[in-house]
Amino acid sequence: MDEISGKWLKEWEQLEAEEAEILREGGENAPATRAIRVHKERHVGEYLLRELATRGFLPVYGFPTNIASFDNLTVSRYVREKRDGREDNRYKRRELASRDLVTALREYAPGSDVVIDGLVYKSAGITLNWHIPADQNEVREIQEIRFVWRCRRCGASGSTHNLDSARSCESCGVENESADIVEFLEPAGFAVDFYQDPGNDITTQQFIPVEPPWIDSDGDWLSLPNPELGRFRVSNRGHVFNQSKGVNGQGYALCLECGRAEPMMPDGTLPAVLDNPHRKLRRSKDESGYCPGSDNPWKIKQRIALGHEGWTDVLEIQLRSESGEWLNDKVAATTLAVAFRDSLAAAIGIQATELGCEIKPSRLELGGYCQSILIFDRYAAGYASDAERFMNNLFRSARQRLECPSDCDSSCPQCVLDYDQRFAIDMLDRHTAKQFLTDGWLDRLQLPEELAFFGSASRLEPHSIRESIWRIVGQGNNGGIRLFAACRNEDWDVAPSPLRELSYRLAGQGVKVEVALPSEISGLDDADRFILASLADHPLIDLLLLDEPARVGNGWIIAETLDSPVARWAVSSEQALNFSAEWGTSTGPLIKQEGGQPIPLSSSPLSPDALRPKNLDLGDKEITIHHEIDGPVTGFGTRFWQKVMTDHPATAEVIKGKGEVVGLTYADRYLFSPISVALLAELVKGLRNAIEPNRWKTPAINIRTTPNAYDDGSWKPNKLWANWPDTYTRDGVLKSVFQTAGI
C-alpha cells in the first residue's frame, strides 16, 4: 500500500510542479495549463478500489479487470428498434459487444471492421466517457494520456505522465535519449459513426496489425539447479503494456472533443477525415455544423497510440547453452517460450490461454545481451509467480512437447502451434529449439556434485531463504526456526541485517526462533552487543553458541526448522551467514534437504545481561553536546577537547598529566567521506595541542574502519578528492590528510 500511495503521490507532485512552472511563465490560459489540470482531475477522480485492483494490491481472481465495449448503435438501427416496442427487443435486453481491453485494441481499434450478426461495422473512434457507461452519449470525461518507454540498453520498460521522466531508465539509470517512447491513451470503449450504416461485405475486412507487448519484471535472480545453465526470477508486480498503432503503424489521429479517430497515413501525415473540419462521432439529431475540435489544434492529437498497461505475475528465464553462451536466437527463444508456457499450464492444471508468453532482448550485468523468455498471467491470477515449484520438471516437460507426434517440419497444432501463436507462426521452429534444449543440456541441469551438500537428498530451493522460511511457516510449522550466523565478529553489522529483521518478524507471528552464533563473540563492539541483547530480550527469541561451524559437505547451513522431520537449507558461501546486510545473499543456489533431526546444540540461551557491555569504570560520564563546539572545521579538535575537559575533570587530569602518549586508536565503521576524515585529523591535532610537546613522541595512530557499500576497495577520485596528494587508497588519503594537518 505504501508503494502504491507513494507512486500516486509522486505523480501528483510532478503535475503540480509542472503547473506551477507554466503559471510562473504567465500561461494561465495556455493549452498546456488546461492539459495539466485535466490530468490532475483525472488523477484524483479515479475510483480507489479500481486503482488498487489494477495496481495488483487487491486480488482479481483471474478475471479480466479491464473490459472495453464496442458501441455499434447507428441512426438507422436506433429508428428501427425505437419503433419496435416488443418486450423481447434484444437491444434493450442485451449488453454491447465487449472484449478484454487487450483483445479490443486489436479487434475494435479505429479503422478495423467488426462483424456482428452478419453486418460489418467500421470502428470510427473511441468513447470518451470514463466512469459512465457508453450509452450516455452526452458525457465526455477526462482522458488518461501517458507516456510509456522501453530502454534500448537494458530492455526495461515503464510508464509516466512526464516526457522527461520517460527518457531516464528506472532500471539501469541511464539517460536514454534513444529510448522507445510512445504517447498513449487508454480508451474506455470504441464506437462507430452514428450516421454511418453498416454493410454486409465481409470479403474486404480491414484488420489492425498485432503489436507484441512490452513486458518488464523485477525481483531477485535465482539460479537453475545448475547455475552454469541459466537463471530465472518471478514477480507479482510485472508491468505489461499492450498497444495498437493503427493499420500503418504510425499511431492515430484523435479528436479529444468528440472521440473520432483514424489511423495516421503511412508517411505520418493526418488522415483526410481529421485534416479537415469533421462531424462529431456521436451527435444528436439537433446538432449541426462541425465538431468544435476541428478549429482547435490542441484537441487533435497526432501519432498517439491506443494502449493498456497492467500489472501481473511474470516469470522471466535466461538460459545458457552447453557451451556457456547465452540464448540469443529469437526463433529458438520464441519456441521455447511457447513450450515452457504450455508445460507450466499443464503442471498447474489450467488452460494454456490463461498464460501469455513473449521474448525480449535483455542486457546482462557484465555486458552483452540475451533473449529473455517471459511467461505472464493474462488476468493476474498468480500462476506465473508460482512457477518456481515446477522448475525442476519444467524443462524436461518442454522438451517432450518439442517431439511432435506428426513429425512436422517446424510447428503444428500437435506440438507448439496454437491459436494464441497464430501471429508468430514464422518465429516457431521446434527443431531449432531442440538444438538448444538437448539431452546433454537436460542431463547437466541436475545439481552438480559440488552443490549436492546433502548427498542424494539435495534439491534446489527456487526461492530466497526468507521466502522459503515463510512458506514453511505458512504450511503450519509450529516447532520453530533456527537461523545461523558466522564470519568474523569484526565484520558484523547487526542493526541492518535481514537476520535480525527476520527473527523479529517470525517471533511476531508466534514462531519460536533460535539464532545460532559462533562460540567466540569477543570481537563484537558495544553497539552490536546492545542490539543482540535487545534481540535476546524477546521471549520467543533465544541466542545460542555453536561450538563448530554449521558445515555440510562443501556448504554452510543457514537455517533449519526445529520440527521433526527437519527442513534444512545450505549455501555455498560462508559470507551469506555474515550477521550483516549480506545475510542470506549468495551468488550460488540455495540447497534444501528434508528429513532428519535438528542439529544438537549443547549451550544454554545467552542472557541479555551477559551480552550487554559492562560499565567497568565508575568514573565514566556521558557528555551531551549541543551547539558548544559549533564552528569551522579548523579548530574543531581544540573546541572538542576543551568541552570534554570542562565537563569531565578525570579526562582533563589525564591530558594534563605527566605520562607519555604512546598510541591512539580510533574505531569508526562509517569513516568513508572527506568531511569525516578531515574532522578526525582535527580531533587528533586538537589532542596533540592540548598535551605538552615533550609527552607527544610521535605515537602510533591506529584507525579501524570497515569497507562501505560504496567502496570497492579503492576510493575513486572525484571533485572532492581532486586536489588530494598521494594515491587514492584509503590509507593514502588518511596519510595525506594527517600530513597536511602536521600530524
Side-chain angles (χ1 to χ4, degrees):
M1 178 68 83
D2 287 340
E3 179 183 353
I4 295 173
S5 62
K7 289 184 176 180
W8 185 96
L9 186 60
K10 184 178 180 180
E11 292 183 19
W12 172 258
E13 291 172 347
Q14 179 67 35
L15 290 171
E16 285 199 315
E18 291 180 4
E19 181 183 27
E21 182 179 356
I22 296 174
L23 290 176
R24 283 195 301 269
E25 299 174 356
E28 175 66 35
N29 298 318
T33 305
R34 296 196 297 271
I36 291 175
R37 288 173 178 170
V38 161
H39 278 310
K40 290 176 65 178
E41 187 175 344
R42 169 68 195 244
H43 198 62
V44 301
E46 178 61 279
Y47 290 139
L48 175 61
L49 294 183
R50 174 178 171 178
E51 183 76 10
L52 295 178
T54 56
R55 292 285 181 176
F57 181 79
L58 295 179
V60 296
Y61 301 107
F63 293 102
T65 55
N66 295 275
I67 302 297
S69 60
F70 181 68
D71 188 351
N72 62 328
L73 179 62
T74 61
V75 62
S76 59
R77 180 181 172 188
Y78 173 78
V79 171
R80 182 174 64 255
E81 295 182 351
K82 186 177 181 181
R83 294 172 181 170
D84 184 2
R86 293 179 46 163
E87 290 292 329
D88 60 351
N89 186 322
R90 289 195 307 162
Y91 177 68
K92 294 183 179 180
R93 298 288 184 183
R94 295 179 62 185
E95 298 180 357
L96 298 173
S98 62
R99 293 282 190 271
D100 63 278
L101 191 50
V102 175
T103 305
L105 289 174
R106 180 175 66 249
E107 295 187 0
Y108 297 159
S112 60
D113 293 322
V114 183
V115 179
I116 300 177
D117 293 337
L119 297 177
V120 181
Y121 295 88
K122 173 72 72 174
S123 177
I126 65 174
T127 54
L128 293 181
N129 55 297
W130 176 29
H131 297 316
I132 300 177
D135 59 352
Q136 300 191 24
N137 300 324
E138 298 302 321
V139 179
R140 294 186 295 272
E141 295 191 329
I142 304 162
Q143 302 305 300
E144 176 85 71
I145 299 178
R146 298 171 61 87
F147 295 94
V148 66
W149 54 270
R150 181 174 61 180
C151 179
R152 295 181 183 176
R153 181 177 182 273
C154 69
S157 58
S159 67
T160 177
H161 273 298
N162 184 266
L163 180 59
D164 292 333
S165 300
R167 295 193 176 101
S168 178
C169 177
E170 295 179 358
S171 179
C172 63
V174 173
E175 294 289 339
N176 196 349
E177 293 292 340
S178 61
D180 295 321
I181 301 176
V182 175
E183 186 179 18
F184 77 97
L185 178 145
E186 183 170 313
F190 301 85
V192 300
D193 189 322
F194 188 66
Y195 286 96
Q196 182 177 350
D197 290 330
N200 57 6
D201 184 2
I202 62 173
T203 62
T204 59
Q205 285 183 262
Q206 181 73 62
F207 295 99
I208 305 300
V210 176
E211 297 278 349
W214 293 0
I215 304 174
D216 184 54
S217 65
D218 56 10
D220 297 329
W221 285 105
L222 302 172
S223 63
L224 294 177
N226 186 343
E228 296 180 358
L229 296 182
R231 59 185 184 175
F232 72 97
R233 62 181 176 181
V234 294
S235 171
N236 58 5
R237 292 284 300 157
H239 179 263
V240 180
F241 174 70
N242 289 273
Q243 62 179 316
S244 172
K245 291 185 177 180
V247 66
N248 298 316
Q250 298 293 325
Y252 294 92
L254 169 66
C255 176
L256 295 178
E257 177 71 24
C258 69
R260 185 178 291 278
E262 285 287 331
M264 299 290 291
M265 301 304 292
D267 58 357
T269 58
L270 277 172
V273 174
L274 291 173
D275 195 21
N276 300 304
H278 62 274
R279 299 280 186 179
K280 284 186 177 181
L281 180 67
R282 316 292 286 170
R283 58 190 185 277
S284 66
K285 183 177 180 181
D286 297 333
E287 285 184 302
S288 60
Y290 295 102
C291 172
S294 302
D295 302 324
N296 192 336
W298 173 69
K299 291 189 176 181
I300 304 295
K301 296 291 293 184
Q302 300 186 39
R303 305 180 71 89
I304 190 170
L306 300 180
H308 166 63
E309 62 174 342
W311 287 261
T312 187
D313 302 77
V314 177
L315 165 67
E316 183 174 0
I317 305 174
Q318 294 180 347
L319 300 178
R320 274 179 166 166
S321 66
E322 289 187 79
S323 61
E325 297 179 356
W326 290 99
L327 174 61
N328 260 312
D329 188 315
K330 293 184 178 180
V331 173
T334 303
T335 309
L336 288 173
V338 177
F340 292 156
R341 189 275 306 266
D342 293 346
S343 299
L344 178 60
I348 297 175
I350 61 174
Q351 292 185 353
T353 52
E354 293 284 333
L355 298 169
C357 58
E358 191 57 60
I359 65 170
K360 75 170 184 178
S362 297
R363 183 180 176 87
L364 303 167
E365 289 85 351
L366 299 179
Y369 290 86
C370 73
Q371 292 293 329
S372 284
I373 295 173
L374 300 152
I375 300 173
F376 59 96
D377 280 31
R378 294 190 185 277
Y379 308 120
Y383 299 131
S385 61
D386 199 35
E388 62 265 26
R389 293 195 297 122
F390 309 99
M391 291 302 293
N392 291 317
N393 300 319
L394 182 65
F395 297 95
R396 291 192 178 277
S397 177
R399 173 56 192 267
Q400 293 175 2
R401 292 182 177 275
L402 298 176
E403 301 292 346
C404 180
S406 301
D407 195 24
C408 65
D409 293 336
S410 58
S411 64
C412 72
Q414 296 293 319
C415 50
V416 292
L417 179 62
D418 56 23
Y419 183 75
D420 281 355
Q421 303 305 317
R422 63 193 185 278
F423 304 113
I425 188 171
D426 294 336
M427 297 293 291
L428 297 177
D429 188 339
R430 65 184 186 90
H431 298 289
T432 304
K434 285 173 60 178
Q435 292 174 6
F436 183 90
L437 206 65
T438 62
D439 293 333
W441 192 96
L442 293 173
D443 292 339
R444 288 189 59 192
L445 189 63
Q446 304 302 317
L447 273 176
E449 184 177 350
E450 62 270 17
L451 293 178
F453 305 139
F454 303 104
S456 59
S458 305
R459 69 179 182 87
L460 174 72
E461 178 64 274
H463 309 96
S464 65
I465 181 61
R466 282 169 285 183
E467 186 174 355
S468 301
I469 290 174
W470 280 115
R471 285 175 177 265
I472 287 288
V473 171
Q475 293 171 5
N477 177 287
N478 296 315
I481 300 292
R482 179 181 291 159
L483 309 173
F484 293 82
C487 296
R488 300 187 313 153
N489 302 156
E490 293 83 356
D491 297 333
W492 285 13
D493 192 1
V494 177
S497 175
L499 172 55
R500 174 174 174 256
E501 178 190 6
L502 180 60
S503 299
Y504 276 127
R505 287 185 176 273
L506 288 170
Q509 295 297 321
V511 179
K512 176 68 177 177
V513 179
E514 291 185 0
V515 180
L517 305 175
S519 57
E520 181 58 49
I521 58 173
S522 58
L524 283 175
D525 60 24
D526 288 353
D528 284 338
R529 282 183 172 274
F530 277 118
I531 296 173
L532 285 178
S534 298
L535 197 63
D537 280 330
H538 198 290
L540 290 179
I541 301 178
D542 288 339
L543 274 60
L544 303 102
L545 297 180
L546 188 65
D547 294 334
E548 298 293 334
R551 297 296 303 272
V552 53
N554 296 324
W556 300 78
I557 297 178
I558 190 171
E560 66 178 0
T561 63
L562 299 177
D563 281 337
S564 182
V566 71
R568 185 177 290 121
W569 297 269
V571 293
S572 58
S573 171
E574 182 187 7
Q575 200 64 28
L577 277 68
N578 190 5
F579 207 146
S580 67
E582 299 174 336
W583 190 89
T585 303
S586 176
T587 55
L590 184 65
I591 307 301
K592 183 180 181 181
Q593 176 201 29
E594 292 181 319
Q597 300 295 323
I599 298 174
L601 298 180
S602 57
S603 68
S604 300
L606 295 172
S607 68
D609 291 338
L611 288 168
R612 288 191 177 92
K614 297 297 187 295
N615 191 357
L616 300 178
D617 188 349
L618 298 178
D620 288 355
K621 179 181 179 181
E622 179 180 299
I623 299 176
T624 302
I625 299 176
H626 292 290
H627 300 285
E628 298 88 343
I629 62 174
D630 287 358
V633 172
T634 303
F636 166 77
T638 301
R639 299 191 301 272
F640 174 84
W641 290 113
Q642 185 61 44
K643 169 67 175 176
V644 171
M645 289 189 292
T646 300
D647 290 6
H648 194 218
T651 299
E653 183 178 349
V654 172
I655 291 178
K656 297 301 182 182
K658 299 183 180 297
E660 181 180 327
V661 180
V662 296
L664 186 151
T665 299
Y666 179 81
D668 185 351
R669 69 178 59 191
Y670 301 112
L671 184 66
F672 53 78
S673 67
I675 186 64
S676 58
V677 175
L679 290 174
L680 173 58
E682 283 292 323
L683 195 69
V684 177
K685 185 178 178 180
L687 179 61
R688 182 197 62 184
N689 294 338
I691 293 176
E692 295 179 2
N694 60 342
R695 297 173 56 207
W696 186 275
K697 302 292 186 180
T698 315
I701 299 178
N702 179 30
I703 299 174
R704 289 165 44 199
T705 184
T706 59
N708 64 84
Y710 308 100
D711 183 11
D712 61 358
S714 61
W715 287 0
K716 301 297 186 298
N718 55 36
K719 293 180 179 179
L720 294 175
W721 306 103
N723 297 322
W724 289 32
D726 210 327
T727 63
Y728 286 100
T729 62
R730 188 188 302 269
D731 292 341
V733 169
L734 291 173
K735 290 177 181 178
S736 300
V737 175
F738 276 47
Q739 290 170 0
T740 303
I743 303 171

